[in-house]
């Protein structure tokens, strides 16, 4: 697909990202939090020879498992949401009574958005759906969905390394734990900064909020014996 510029030159349309900034930041933070809590939980159990290596392998294994589970659930959610939208479209398309079709469309809208949409607008949408002859009979997953699931898996797994790598390069487990937590907080700040800039909530404010969340989580881990 392409667009025409005022000068008459065709330009390719920008490809929509499969995972937006919120998805990427949330999945990365999920991986960080998972690794942080797991490292804190198993620190005492892996004390002794090769403790740092054991912590790294254990945290990586944990996030490999959770990354796979999260990727699969992403596909399940995607298929369920797509099926729900298709069911609505087919219901509206097949409904002969315009009033019932419009009511079905309105019921599917969020409450605040519904207050801004008139029945006449929904009637036009219903008319367009009625004219569509290419609706699939059932919802299916497409290639982009699997790419998104792979991206989620990689983001969760990558969240392991900032937390766990200090245990590979620092011999003192206590010093490695401090380095791990500091590095994690720094990355959480960067993630919050990106999220705040994307949502317009204030980059610095969101960055500090995410870092504070990490500090509170770390305090909870320590209080629980981590």
């Amino acid at each position: 697909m392409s667009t025409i510029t005022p000068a008459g030159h065709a330009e390719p349309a920008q490809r929509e990202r499969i995972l937006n900034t919120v998805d990427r930041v949330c999945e990365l933070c999920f991986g960080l939090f998972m690794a942080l809590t797991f490292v804190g939980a198993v620190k005492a159990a892996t004390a002794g020879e090769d403790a740092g290596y054991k912590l790294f392998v254990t945290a990586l294994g944990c996030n490999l498992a959770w990354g796979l589970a999260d990727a699969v659930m992403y596909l399940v959610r995607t298929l369920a949401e797509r099926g729900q939208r298709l069911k609505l479209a087919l219901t509206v398309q097949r409904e002969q009574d315009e009033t019932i079709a419009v009511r079905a469309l309105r019921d599917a809208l969020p409450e605040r958005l519904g207050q801004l949409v008139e029945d006449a607008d929904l009637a036009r949408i219903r008319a367009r759906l009625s004219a569509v002859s290419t609706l699939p009979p059932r919802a299916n997953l497409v290639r982009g969905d699997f790419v998104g699931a792979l991206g989620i898996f990689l983001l969760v797994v990558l969240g392991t390394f900032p937390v766990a790598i200090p245990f590979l390069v620092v011999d003192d487990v206590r010093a490695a734990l401090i380095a791990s937590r500091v590095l994690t907080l720094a990355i959480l700040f960067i993630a919050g900064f990106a999220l705040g800039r994307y949502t317009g909530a204030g980059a610095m404010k969101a960055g500090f909020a995410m870092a504070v969340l990490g500090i509170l989580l770390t305090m909870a881990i320590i209080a629980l014996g981590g």
Side-chain angles (χ1 to χ4, degrees):
M1 183 178 178
S2 61
T3 56
I4 306 299
T5 64
H9 300 291
E11 291 185 353
Q14 186 176 4
R15 181 182 176 184
E16 183 179 356
R17 292 180 176 178
I18 296 173
L19 296 176
N20 60 32
T21 299
V22 176
D23 293 327
R24 294 196 299 272
V25 170
C26 288
E27 293 300 334
L28 178 60
C29 289
F30 174 76
L32 287 170
F33 287 138
M34 282 296 300
L36 184 63
T37 54
F38 203 79
V39 164
V42 303
K43 177 171 63 71
T46 56
E49 188 178 356
D50 294 331
Y53 177 76
K54 292 176 183 177
L55 278 169
F56 175 81
V57 172
T58 305
L60 180 59
C62 170
N63 272 16
L64 283 170
W66 278 106
L68 178 61
D70 207 20
V72 171
M73 290 310 301
Y74 167 79
L75 293 176
V76 172
R77 290 193 307 270
T78 298
L79 187 60
E81 291 170 0
R82 188 169 296 155
Q84 185 181 35
R85 292 193 298 268
L86 178 60
K87 179 182 177 181
L88 173 63
L90 290 172
T91 298
V92 172
Q93 185 183 62
R94 295 167 181 170
E95 179 56 57
Q96 299 299 319
D97 190 327
E98 179 178 312
T99 302
I100 296 177
V102 167
R103 185 183 303 120
L105 287 171
R106 181 168 296 283
D107 290 342
L109 291 174
E111 182 177 354
R112 292 192 176 183
L113 180 59
Q115 297 173 358
L116 303 176
V117 180
E118 301 291 339
D119 284 350
D121 300 321
L122 297 177
R124 284 192 289 270
I125 295 175
R126 181 252 181 186
R128 291 173 184 172
L129 282 173
S130 298
V132 173
S133 59
T134 57
L135 288 176
R138 60 182 177 274
N140 294 298
L141 294 172
V142 298
R143 178 178 176 274
D145 300 326
F146 294 100
V147 173
L150 177 61
I152 285 175
F153 172 77
L154 293 176
L155 283 169
V156 173
V157 173
L158 287 174
T160 309
F161 293 94
V163 179
I165 277 184
F167 294 96
L168 288 180
V169 298
V170 180
D171 294 332
D172 187 339
V173 175
R174 185 175 295 276
L177 187 61
I178 294 173
S180 170
R181 287 169 176 168
V182 170
L183 185 57
T184 301
L185 292 177
I187 295 176
L188 285 173
F189 174 83
I190 295 172
F193 186 93
L195 190 62
R197 186 169 62 178
Y198 175 78
T199 61
M204 293 295 293
K205 182 179 179 180
F208 281 116
M210 189 70 78
V212 169
L213 179 62
I215 292 172
L216 293 175
L217 179 60
T218 302
M219 292 171 62
I221 293 169
I222 294 172
L224 293 172

